[in-house]
Amino acid sequence: MGTIYGDWLKQQRETAGLTQQQLADMAVMTRSHVSHIEAGRRVPSKEDARRLDKALNTGDVLSSFLPQDDVAVTDYFDAVRQLEQQAVAIKEFASAFVPGILQTKGYARAVLSSVFPPVSEEECDRRVVTRLERAKLLDDPATPVVWTLLDEAVLRRPVGAREVMAEQITHLVRLAESGRVRVHVLPFGVGLHPLMQGMLTLMTFEDQPPVGYGEGVNMGKLHDSPAVVKRLEDIYALALSDAMPLKESIALLRATAKDYGHHD
């Protein structure tokens, strides 16, 4: 998924006779981070770009022509999806829908069928399969670690039929009780909180800097500026501190699933 920026960086590196590892050492980065930038999967921070310019003796070209990160979800989500598969820890916040990697087939279909303009049944099927493929990262019993913070509105606003909601919430209960995913509910009683503006995903990695991904109405933004990511992590931690503990959250999930018609 190369980009003009990434392709140019690769060309300059190869012209200088450097391997990715050599450039990474000179720019105080990891080889995989350089690889992701060249492939268009990451946008370097301003500091990354400055160090790359210095290592390659390219003046301020890489710093001056950083790709704009204010782009549509459809343009950026391929990169987000790839990063999701590489992450060792994922923290999600959802204000309207259950996060994609935790969705059941029925819930995913209900969400994806509600898009505007409408899509064909065949296209909806394709999108559902893609979403369920993302969820396979949970097949690994330990990695990535997943924390999920749900606004209570996610549970109260029906998505699809009542049985769809019951199945979805029961799925969350099973994941939480198995220890595979931590689920915390941010109750209505908290009132205003700093994450109400949309959804947020925070991802950390073994060998690359952390990233944040925020999404609103038909728009999404991938952040890898260290200062921005740190601010998003702090906001997440602040909201999490107001959430219900795990056991209480599971109890609320169980009760809500029962309200929608699920019976053990």
Side-chain angles (χ1 to χ4, degrees):
M1 143 185 179
T3 63
I4 293 175
Y5 188 94
D7 290 343
W8 193 84
L9 171 60
K10 181 179 180 181
Q11 182 183 42
Q12 297 306 305
R13 174 179 61 77
E14 291 178 342
T15 298
L18 299 173
T19 65
Q20 288 181 341
Q21 185 61 62
Q22 288 170 328
L23 176 58
D25 292 341
M26 294 170 67
V28 196
M29 301 165 67
T30 65
R31 186 208 61 77
S32 62
H33 192 34
V34 172
S35 175
H36 290 316
I37 295 170
E38 289 187 351
R41 293 188 293 268
R42 295 291 295 268
V43 175
S45 67
K46 290 181 180 179
E47 180 59 22
D48 289 338
R50 185 192 67 77
R51 291 199 302 268
L52 288 167
D53 270 328
K54 183 177 180 180
L56 292 169
N57 196 28
T58 49
D60 63 355
V61 175
L62 291 164
S63 302
S64 299
F65 294 96
L66 277 170
Q68 296 297 310
D69 63 353
D70 187 11
V71 298
V73 169
T74 51
D75 294 331
Y76 241 120
F77 201 75
D78 277 346
V80 175
R81 186 169 57 190
Q82 291 183 54
L83 291 168
E84 196 175 62
Q85 301 300 314
Q86 301 161 17
V88 296
I90 299 174
K91 295 180 180 179
E92 300 268 19
F93 167 73
S95 60
F97 301 114
V98 172
I101 60 173
L102 304 177
Q103 290 181 7
T104 61
K105 183 177 180 179
Y107 188 93
R109 179 173 295 282
V111 171
L112 296 169
S113 296
S114 68
V115 298
F116 184 85
V119 297
S120 67
E121 186 172 345
E122 180 180 343
E123 174 61 16
C124 184
D125 287 343
R126 186 187 68 80
R127 295 183 184 186
V128 169
V129 169
T130 299
R131 184 154 298 184
L132 295 179
E133 284 292 320
R134 288 173 55 208
K136 289 185 177 179
L137 61 81
L138 296 176
D139 290 347
D140 186 302
T143 305
V145 172
V146 178
W147 287 13
T148 303
L149 180 58
L150 300 177
D151 192 289
E152 189 175 348
V154 175
L155 309 180
R156 301 304 185 189
R157 179 175 291 109
V159 173
R162 295 182 67 84
E163 56 267 27
V164 169
M165 285 296 293
E167 179 187 40
Q168 174 63 74
I169 296 172
T170 300
H171 177 60
L172 294 175
V173 170
R174 289 171 182 152
L175 288 171
E177 289 187 331
S178 72
R180 183 63 186 86
V181 174
R182 289 191 68 90
V183 180
H184 296 272
V185 177
L186 200 58
F188 286 142
V190 170
L192 292 173
H193 61 82
L195 290 176
M196 284 185 67
Q197 298 177 10
M199 61 79 64
L200 174 66
T201 301
L202 298 168
M203 291 179 277
T204 55
F205 310 87
E206 284 186 348
D207 58 356
Q208 11 175 351
V211 300
Y213 174 70
E215 191 171 310
V217 179
N218 291 324
M219 290 295 294
K221 187 181 290 187
L222 182 65
H223 302 278
D224 60 5
S225 162
V228 173
V229 174
K230 178 63 167 60
R231 185 164 68 249
L232 293 174
E233 289 173 339
D234 289 345
I235 291 172
Y236 188 96
L238 182 62
L240 183 62
S241 71
D242 286 330
M244 299 170 65
L246 178 63
K247 289 185 178 180
E248 292 181 21
S249 295
I250 291 175
L252 176 59
L253 289 168
R254 279 190 171 278
T256 307
K258 186 175 181 180
D259 289 343
Y260 278 114
H262 172 79
H263 300 281
D264 289 329

